[in-house]
Amino acid sequence: MSRPSLSHAEPPWPRATDVVAREAAGWEPYPLHSFVLKVHSRCDLACDYCYMYRSRDQSWRTQPRAMAPAVVDRTAERIAEHLSAHGLREAGVVLHGGEPLLAGDAALARTVRVLRAAAGDGVKLHLSLQTNGVRLTRERLDLCGESGIRVGVSTDGGRAAHDRHRRGADGRGSHARVEAALELLASAPYRRLFAGLLCTIDLRNDPVRAYEALLAHRPPVVDFLLPLGNWHAPPPGLVPGGPRTPYADWLWAVFKRWYEAPVRETGVRFLDDVMALLLGGAPRTESLGLAPARYAVVESDGSLAQDDALRTAYDGAARTGLDVWRHSFDTLLRHPGIAARQWGADGLCAECRACPLHRVCGGGHYVTRYRHATGFANPSVYCADLASLIRRVRGRLAQDVAELTTVAAGTAGTAGTAGFLAPPGVDGPGGRRPGAPVGSSPGSTPRMRAAGRAYDQAPAQTPAPAAPAAADPSS
């Protein structure tokens, strides 16, 4: 079975010639370590902010509803081929959509069996599923448990916040059904499957109330997603170049509530990544920092795509012209849109490279940098908000780490601490991290202990891979 890929468009930057030039200069791509499979291309909700169905790119209409068994088989072969060629012994696979549970229990179980069989016993596959929660039942959670699939759920918090956007085609809100699913997922038999919650920021929602509504489900981690937008279609409530930073203000309120809690109640991935980068560590997703993007999307027809959030930029932005029938994942790595996101600072525009914050913000999410004339060679439309938030977090961390190391050392201060947080993301004097502070030192306050936890948990800054920023079409 084979079918030609949909046509694709090339922006002003990056272009194929840029990849040729980089390879001539010695660049070699990092292999992929995460794969997003669009096992079903349709959804049973009609969220008003969904990038899959409400963006400029409407190619979902031409996609098969479900990924056929032959496509699953070929995709599994291609993943196994890629992992074997690069000596990788583990990888992540996200079952995605649309709404992946629409694929049906039998198809999902078969997909998992085929993926694991192709990878072989020597490869560990981390399988997850991102769902809107509407169809998440006890029977389906049993299936996920048997298949080793962790489950992430998309929800926007309380009833009013959630049902403002996340409605069915008939206009009915989905909050009650999702709440019931989350109660089940968080219960003892299934809690080990709970991967986390995704919440798209709406400036109309009180940030602390939104966070606490999510916290009520005891998630292991929460992802707050900045609404997708670019310089021509700014996110709601944002005036590019204006003096206000509404998304920084919103996230800063969440940060203070989360960071100042007497105990760590959950992880907040975006804020954890900001702190890790400021403390010389590496992020756990690719939405921040300069770690190479190492994931690919496989559409339900077997087409290989970039981050499908690119649909919000222009028609064809996510397409590559490649597919699993004719092309390997190594070929995909040399596509301009994939390659440019592996170039670190060299993949940023001159304005971003000149900014001392670029090692933390990473230029902002790639999708949000788009302009018609210059493609993706621009700062993010969220530039001012990211800078404002990073500076506020840096100030709080610098203060608390200084206090914490003073308590731990029993002196007026610890040499190198201030320099460690300025400039952000740079290791301490001599390229070495200062000795980690002790978060449980006598006299430390809750916020000092939070700084200590962040410091202790920040992974070393290495060229390690980063995971997809989010696997939710509703951002």
Side-chain angles (χ1 to χ4, degrees):
M1 175 178 176
S2 178
R3 60 176 291 176
S5 299
L6 295 169
S7 61
H8 64 288
E10 195 172 58
W13 189 93
R15 302 184 72 88
T17 52
D18 298 307
V19 180
V20 172
R22 291 288 300 178
E23 287 199 282
W27 170 74
E28 294 183 5
Y30 290 88
L32 303 170
H33 73 352
S34 297
F35 306 87
V36 179
L37 274 56
K38 299 285 187 173
V39 294
H40 203 281
S41 66
R42 305 301 195 266
C43 190
D44 49 0
L45 290 183
C47 304
D48 61 10
Y49 50 33
C50 182
Y51 68 70
M52 278 290 291
Y53 310 112
R54 295 179 179 266
S55 65
R56 297 176 183 274
D57 188 319
Q58 292 287 298
S59 58
W60 65 271
R61 296 179 183 276
T62 65
Q63 287 288 335
R65 287 181 174 270
M67 185 175 279
V71 177
V72 172
D73 295 349
R74 185 58 170 164
T75 300
E77 292 169 2
R78 287 296 194 189
I79 292 174
E81 170 189 72
H82 189 74
L83 299 179
S84 176
H86 295 280
L88 299 178
R89 310 309 298 169
E90 60 183 310
V93 178
V94 182
L95 305 179
H96 204 264
E99 170 49 50
L101 292 179
L102 286 172
D105 297 354
L108 290 175
R110 181 188 184 279
T111 296
V112 171
R113 290 196 303 272
V114 169
L115 288 167
R116 292 197 190 282
D121 294 337
V123 174
K124 183 175 184 179
L125 290 183
H126 301 276
L127 291 161
S128 61
L129 178 149
Q130 189 63 39
T131 176
N132 60 34
V134 170
R135 295 173 178 267
L136 194 59
T137 62
R138 187 179 300 276
E139 291 72 25
R140 291 200 172 95
L141 284 172
D142 287 338
L143 171 65
C144 288
E146 294 165 4
S147 302
I149 304 172
R150 300 192 72 211
V151 179
V153 178
S154 302
T155 176
D156 287 348
R159 180 182 299 275
H162 182 99
D163 284 348
R164 183 183 300 128
H165 302 290
R166 305 187 69 82
R167 296 174 173 270
D170 60 1
R172 289 193 307 135
S174 60
H175 181 265
R177 288 171 288 171
V178 176
E179 287 282 296
L182 285 172
E183 183 177 352
L184 192 60
L185 179 58
S187 65
Y190 305 113
R191 182 161 181 80
R192 63 187 176 86
L193 305 177
F194 200 171
L197 299 177
L198 291 181
C199 174
T200 300
I201 296 172
D202 184 333
L203 296 176
R204 291 171 289 183
N205 299 332
D206 178 86
V208 173
R209 288 181 63 185
Y211 170 66
E212 290 179 341
L214 300 173
L215 194 60
H217 299 294
R218 300 180 295 116
V221 68
V222 171
D223 253 343
F224 284 109
L225 308 178
L226 293 168
L228 292 172
N230 55 56
W231 290 98
H232 303 290
L238 184 66
V239 179
R244 296 179 59 249
T245 54
Y247 287 92
D249 299 342
W250 202 96
L251 283 166
W252 178 242
V254 173
F255 177 86
K256 290 190 292 183
R257 165 62 180 83
W258 167 71
Y259 180 77
E260 294 174 358
V263 297
R264 183 176 172 88
E265 297 166 306
T266 189
V268 178
R269 189 167 285 135
F270 189 90
L271 300 177
D272 275 323
D273 281 354
V274 170
M275 291 204 302
L277 286 158
L278 285 168
L279 291 167
R284 300 189 183 280
T285 69
E286 61 87 33
S287 61
L288 293 168
L290 298 173
R294 296 178 59 179
Y295 64 92
V297 177
V298 183
E299 300 280 10
S300 60
D301 69 347
S303 299
L304 298 176
Q306 304 178 64
D307 185 334
D308 57 2
L310 286 165
R311 298 169 187 270
T312 59
Y314 58 89
D315 185 27
R319 303 174 203 161
T320 64
L322 308 176
D323 61 67
V324 296
W325 305 107
R326 300 173 297 170
H327 306 100
S328 69
F329 283 112
D330 274 15
T331 302
L332 179 66
L333 284 171
R334 288 166 172 80
H335 181 275
I338 302 291
R341 298 171 73 182
Q342 293 202 348
W343 295 342
D346 290 339
L348 304 180
C349 67
E351 182 179 347
C352 287
R353 292 197 302 271
C355 174
L357 299 179
H358 78 267
R359 289 187 63 182
V360 179
C361 75
H365 195 303
Y366 188 77
V367 176
T368 65
R369 304 176 199 171
Y370 181 71
R371 286 183 188 265
H372 297 329
T374 49
F376 298 94
N378 310 287
S380 168
V381 72
Y382 283 108
C383 178
D385 286 82
L386 291 171
S388 176
L389 179 65
I390 290 167
R391 290 188 178 108
R392 294 186 218 184
V393 174
R394 179 176 64 180
R396 174 62 67 89
L397 287 179
Q399 175 186 339
D400 292 350
V401 169
E403 291 180 31
L404 191 57
T405 51
T406 298
V407 171
T411 67
T414 299
T417 300
F420 182 49
L421 289 169
V426 179
D427 287 347
R432 297 170 59 250
R433 293 184 59 179
V438 181
S440 58
S441 297
S444 62
T445 64
R447 63 188 175 88
M448 291 165 67
R449 289 194 293 273
R453 288 194 299 269
Y455 194 108
D456 292 334
Q457 294 169 6
Q461 181 115 9
T462 68
D472 180 18
S474 60
S475 57

